PDB file of all heavy atoms in Angstrom:
ATOM      1  N   VAL A1523      11.196 -23.375   3.459  1.00 97.00           N
ATOM      2  CA  VAL A1523       9.800 -23.081   3.482  1.00 97.00           C
ATOM      3  C   VAL A1523       9.138 -22.839   2.168  1.00 97.00           C
ATOM      4  O   VAL A1523       8.037 -23.359   1.960  1.00 97.00           O
ATOM      5  CB  VAL A1523       9.640 -21.764   4.488  1.00 97.00           C
ATOM      6  CG1 VAL A1523       8.165 -21.284   4.348  1.00 97.00           C
ATOM      7  CG2 VAL A1523       9.843 -22.202   5.922  1.00 97.00           C
ATOM      8  N   PRO A1524       9.810 -22.037   1.337  1.00 97.00           N
ATOM      9  CA  PRO A1524       9.201 -21.879  -0.026  1.00 97.00           C
ATOM     10  C   PRO A1524       8.961 -23.193  -0.733  1.00 97.00           C
ATOM     11  O   PRO A1524       8.016 -23.532  -1.422  1.00 97.00           O
ATOM     12  CB  PRO A1524      10.100 -20.974  -0.663  1.00 97.00           C
ATOM     13  CG  PRO A1524      10.852 -20.271   0.207  1.00 97.00           C
ATOM     14  CD  PRO A1524      11.075 -21.317   1.389  1.00 97.00           C
ATOM     15  N   VAL A1525       9.963 -24.081  -0.711  1.00 96.00           N
ATOM     16  CA  VAL A1525       9.920 -25.452  -1.388  1.00 96.00           C
ATOM     17  C   VAL A1525       8.622 -26.240  -0.702  1.00 96.00           C
ATOM     18  O   VAL A1525       7.844 -26.878  -1.371  1.00 96.00           O
ATOM     19  CB  VAL A1525      11.150 -26.204  -1.185  1.00 96.00           C
ATOM     20  CG1 VAL A1525      11.070 -27.579  -1.881  1.00 96.00           C
ATOM     21  CG2 VAL A1525      12.352 -25.442  -1.750  1.00 96.00           C
ATOM     22  N   VAL A1526       8.647 -26.255   0.589  1.00 97.00           N
ATOM     23  CA  VAL A1526       7.576 -26.916   1.260  1.00 97.00           C
ATOM     24  C   VAL A1526       6.194 -26.346   0.882  1.00 97.00           C
ATOM     25  O   VAL A1526       5.281 -27.111   0.681  1.00 97.00           O
ATOM     26  CB  VAL A1526       7.795 -26.911   2.756  1.00 97.00           C
ATOM     27  CG1 VAL A1526       6.571 -27.342   3.555  1.00 97.00           C
ATOM     28  CG2 VAL A1526       8.986 -27.660   3.149  1.00 97.00           C
ATOM     29  N   GLN A1527       6.168 -25.125   0.774  1.00 97.00           N
ATOM     30  CA  GLN A1527       4.740 -24.410   0.310  1.00 97.00           C
ATOM     31  C   GLN A1527       4.486 -24.947  -1.152  1.00 97.00           C
ATOM     32  O   GLN A1527       3.290 -25.269  -1.311  1.00 97.00           O
ATOM     33  CB  GLN A1527       4.909 -22.963   0.363  1.00 97.00           C
ATOM     34  CG  GLN A1527       4.950 -22.262   1.703  1.00 97.00           C
ATOM     35  CD  GLN A1527       5.152 -20.826   1.767  1.00 97.00           C
ATOM     36  OE1 GLN A1527       5.915 -20.282   0.847  1.00 97.00           O
ATOM     37  NE2 GLN A1527       4.641 -20.122   2.753  1.00 97.00           N
ATOM     38  N   GLU A1528       5.470 -25.047  -1.947  1.00 97.00           N
ATOM     39  CA  GLU A1528       5.090 -25.606  -3.306  1.00 97.00           C
ATOM     40  C   GLU A1528       4.630 -27.022  -3.292  1.00 97.00           C
ATOM     41  O   GLU A1528       3.640 -27.377  -3.967  1.00 97.00           O
ATOM     42  CB  GLU A1528       6.470 -25.482  -4.109  1.00 97.00           C
ATOM     43  CG  GLU A1528       6.289 -25.959  -5.599  1.00 97.00           C
ATOM     44  CD  GLU A1528       7.590 -26.041  -6.360  1.00 97.00           C
ATOM     45  OE1 GLU A1528       8.616 -25.636  -5.898  1.00 97.00           O
ATOM     46  OE2 GLU A1528       7.597 -26.915  -7.293  1.00 97.00           O
ATOM     47  N   TYR A1529       5.315 -27.870  -2.303  1.00 96.00           N
ATOM     48  CA  TYR A1529       4.904 -29.246  -2.245  1.00 96.00           C
ATOM     49  C   TYR A1529       3.509 -29.404  -1.722  1.00 96.00           C
ATOM     50  O   TYR A1529       2.696 -30.185  -2.079  1.00 96.00           O
ATOM     51  CB  TYR A1529       5.864 -29.956  -1.388  1.00 96.00           C
ATOM     52  CG  TYR A1529       7.226 -30.360  -2.033  1.00 96.00           C
ATOM     53  CD1 TYR A1529       7.569 -29.898  -3.319  1.00 96.00           C
ATOM     54  CD2 TYR A1529       8.250 -31.041  -1.379  1.00 96.00           C
ATOM     55  CE1 TYR A1529       8.720 -30.113  -3.941  1.00 96.00           C
ATOM     56  CE2 TYR A1529       9.286 -31.466  -2.070  1.00 96.00           C
ATOM     57  CZ  TYR A1529       9.644 -31.002  -3.282  1.00 96.00           C
ATOM     58  OH  TYR A1529      10.902 -31.232  -3.936  1.00 96.00           O
ATOM     59  N   MET A1530       3.126 -28.533  -0.783  1.00 97.00           N
ATOM     60  CA  MET A1530       1.829 -28.475  -0.351  1.00 97.00           C
ATOM     61  C   MET A1530       0.747 -28.175  -1.347  1.00 97.00           C
ATOM     62  O   MET A1530      -0.316 -28.797  -1.389  1.00 97.00           O
ATOM     63  CB  MET A1530       1.730 -27.581   0.918  1.00 97.00           C
ATOM     64  CG  MET A1530       2.588 -27.968   2.146  1.00 97.00           C
ATOM     65  SD  MET A1530       2.770 -26.706   3.434  1.00 97.00           S
ATOM     66  CE  MET A1530       1.150 -26.642   4.088  1.00 97.00           C
ATOM     67  N   GLU A1531       1.124 -27.340  -2.136  1.00 96.00           N
ATOM     68  CA  GLU A1531       0.188 -26.891  -3.288  1.00 96.00           C
ATOM     69  C   GLU A1531       0.056 -28.009  -4.295  1.00 96.00           C
ATOM     70  O   GLU A1531      -0.916 -28.386  -4.887  1.00 96.00           O
ATOM     71  CB  GLU A1531       0.794 -25.628  -4.036  1.00 96.00           C
ATOM     72  CG  GLU A1531       0.619 -24.328  -3.043  1.00 96.00           C
ATOM     73  CD  GLU A1531       1.341 -23.157  -3.734  1.00 96.00           C
ATOM     74  OE1 GLU A1531       2.009 -23.333  -4.838  1.00 96.00           O
ATOM     75  OE2 GLU A1531       1.496 -22.121  -3.182  1.00 96.00           O
ATOM     76  N   ARG A1532       1.257 -28.690  -4.512  1.00 96.00           N
ATOM     77  CA  ARG A1532       1.213 -29.890  -5.481  1.00 96.00           C
ATOM     78  C   ARG A1532       0.408 -31.045  -4.903  1.00 96.00           C
ATOM     79  O   ARG A1532      -0.236 -31.669  -5.560  1.00 96.00           O
ATOM     80  CB  ARG A1532       2.586 -30.350  -5.683  1.00 96.00           C
ATOM     81  CG  ARG A1532       3.376 -29.506  -6.901  1.00 96.00           C
ATOM     82  CD  ARG A1532       4.717 -29.983  -7.059  1.00 96.00           C
ATOM     83  NE  ARG A1532       4.785 -31.536  -7.307  1.00 96.00           N
ATOM     84  CZ  ARG A1532       5.873 -32.219  -7.133  1.00 96.00           C
ATOM     85  NH1 ARG A1532       7.010 -31.688  -6.733  1.00 96.00           N
ATOM     86  NH2 ARG A1532       5.898 -33.417  -7.517  1.00 96.00           N
ATOM     87  N   ALA A1533       0.492 -31.288  -3.663  1.00 96.00           N
ATOM     88  CA  ALA A1533      -0.237 -32.237  -3.018  1.00 96.00           C
ATOM     89  C   ALA A1533      -1.712 -32.111  -3.246  1.00 96.00           C
ATOM     90  O   ALA A1533      -2.407 -32.992  -3.598  1.00 96.00           O
ATOM     91  CB  ALA A1533       0.183 -32.382  -1.502  1.00 96.00           C
ATOM     92  N   GLU A1534      -2.174 -30.951  -2.912  1.00 95.00           N
ATOM     93  CA  GLU A1534      -3.560 -30.568  -3.212  1.00 95.00           C
ATOM     94  C   GLU A1534      -4.012 -30.624  -4.524  1.00 95.00           C
ATOM     95  O   GLU A1534      -5.092 -31.395  -4.943  1.00 95.00           O
ATOM     96  CB  GLU A1534      -3.819 -29.147  -2.594  1.00 95.00           C
ATOM     97  CG  GLU A1534      -5.339 -28.674  -2.621  1.00 95.00           C
ATOM     98  CD  GLU A1534      -5.612 -27.307  -2.061  1.00 95.00           C
ATOM     99  OE1 GLU A1534      -4.658 -26.706  -1.736  1.00 95.00           O
ATOM    100  OE2 GLU A1534      -6.852 -27.004  -2.060  1.00 95.00           O
ATOM    101  N   LYS A1535      -3.140 -30.300  -5.483  1.00 95.00           N
ATOM    102  CA  LYS A1535      -3.399 -30.492  -6.988  1.00 95.00           C
ATOM    103  C   LYS A1535      -3.525 -31.806  -7.284  1.00 95.00           C
ATOM    104  O   LYS A1535      -4.320 -32.259  -8.146  1.00 95.00           O
ATOM    105  CB  LYS A1535      -2.440 -29.580  -7.718  1.00 95.00           C
ATOM    106  CG  LYS A1535      -2.613 -29.775  -9.220  1.00 95.00           C
ATOM    107  CD  LYS A1535      -1.622 -28.883  -9.943  1.00 95.00           C
ATOM    108  CE  LYS A1535      -1.735 -28.911 -11.392  1.00 95.00           C
ATOM    109  NZ  LYS A1535      -0.597 -28.073 -12.167  1.00 95.00           N
ATOM    110  N   ASN A1536      -2.667 -32.710  -6.764  1.00 95.00           N
ATOM    111  CA  ASN A1536      -2.515 -34.080  -7.202  1.00 95.00           C
ATOM    112  C   ASN A1536      -3.492 -35.028  -6.468  1.00 95.00           C
ATOM    113  O   ASN A1536      -3.641 -36.227  -6.726  1.00 95.00           O
ATOM    114  CB  ASN A1536      -1.145 -34.609  -7.038  1.00 95.00           C
ATOM    115  CG  ASN A1536      -0.104 -34.089  -7.938  1.00 95.00           C
ATOM    116  OD1 ASN A1536      -0.487 -33.318  -8.867  1.00 95.00           O
ATOM    117  ND2 ASN A1536       1.132 -34.085  -7.739  1.00 95.00           N
ATOM    118  N   GLY A1537      -4.216 -34.437  -5.580  1.00 96.00           N
ATOM    119  CA  GLY A1537      -5.141 -35.226  -4.757  1.00 96.00           C
ATOM    120  C   GLY A1537      -4.489 -36.049  -3.703  1.00 96.00           C
ATOM    121  O   GLY A1537      -5.008 -37.176  -3.352  1.00 96.00           O
ATOM    122  N   VAL A1538      -3.235 -35.738  -3.203  1.00 96.00           N
ATOM    123  CA  VAL A1538      -2.533 -36.415  -2.169  1.00 96.00           C
ATOM    124  C   VAL A1538      -3.006 -35.842  -0.926  1.00 96.00           C
ATOM    125  O   VAL A1538      -2.663 -34.457  -0.702  1.00 96.00           O
ATOM    126  CB  VAL A1538      -1.007 -36.377  -2.444  1.00 96.00           C
ATOM    127  CG1 VAL A1538      -0.363 -37.048  -1.283  1.00 96.00           C
ATOM    128  CG2 VAL A1538      -0.688 -37.009  -3.870  1.00 96.00           C
ATOM    129  N   GLU A1539      -3.256 -36.590  -0.019  1.00 97.00           N
ATOM    130  CA  GLU A1539      -3.732 -36.003   1.344  1.00 97.00           C
ATOM    131  C   GLU A1539      -2.518 -35.857   2.105  1.00 97.00           C
ATOM    132  O   GLU A1539      -1.781 -36.765   2.562  1.00 97.00           O
ATOM    133  CB  GLU A1539      -4.754 -37.044   2.045  1.00 97.00           C
ATOM    134  CG  GLU A1539      -5.300 -36.416   3.314  1.00 97.00           C
ATOM    135  CD  GLU A1539      -6.187 -37.393   4.036  1.00 97.00           C
ATOM    136  OE1 GLU A1539      -6.429 -38.481   3.518  1.00 97.00           O
ATOM    137  OE2 GLU A1539      -6.784 -37.029   5.056  1.00 97.00           O
ATOM    138  N   LEU A1540      -2.256 -34.560   2.557  1.00 97.00           N
ATOM    139  CA  LEU A1540      -0.895 -34.208   3.280  1.00 97.00           C
ATOM    140  C   LEU A1540      -1.386 -33.879   4.735  1.00 97.00           C
ATOM    141  O   LEU A1540      -2.114 -32.899   4.916  1.00 97.00           O
ATOM    142  CB  LEU A1540      -0.170 -33.097   2.561  1.00 97.00           C
ATOM    143  CG  LEU A1540       1.123 -32.529   3.288  1.00 97.00           C
ATOM    144  CD1 LEU A1540       2.163 -33.658   3.343  1.00 97.00           C
ATOM    145  CD2 LEU A1540       1.609 -31.415   2.585  1.00 97.00           C
ATOM    146  N   VAL A1541      -0.953 -34.748   5.580  1.00 98.00           N
ATOM    147  CA  VAL A1541      -1.554 -34.680   6.908  1.00 98.00           C
ATOM    148  C   VAL A1541      -0.443 -34.136   8.016  1.00 98.00           C
ATOM    149  O   VAL A1541       0.583 -34.719   7.974  1.00 98.00           O
ATOM    150  CB  VAL A1541      -2.103 -36.015   7.474  1.00 98.00           C
ATOM    151  CG1 VAL A1541      -2.798 -35.765   8.814  1.00 98.00           C
ATOM    152  CG2 VAL A1541      -3.063 -36.571   6.416  1.00 98.00           C
TER     153      VAL A1541
END
Side-chain angles (χ1 to χ4, degrees):
V1523 168
V1525 180
V1526 168
Q1527 288 174 328
E1528 179 193 342
Y1529 282 6
M1530 292 167 71
E1531 292 170 2
R1532 276 179 54 198
E1534 185 175 2
K1535 181 179 179 181
N1536 293 350
V1538 177
E1539 188 179 1
L1540 183 61
V1541 189

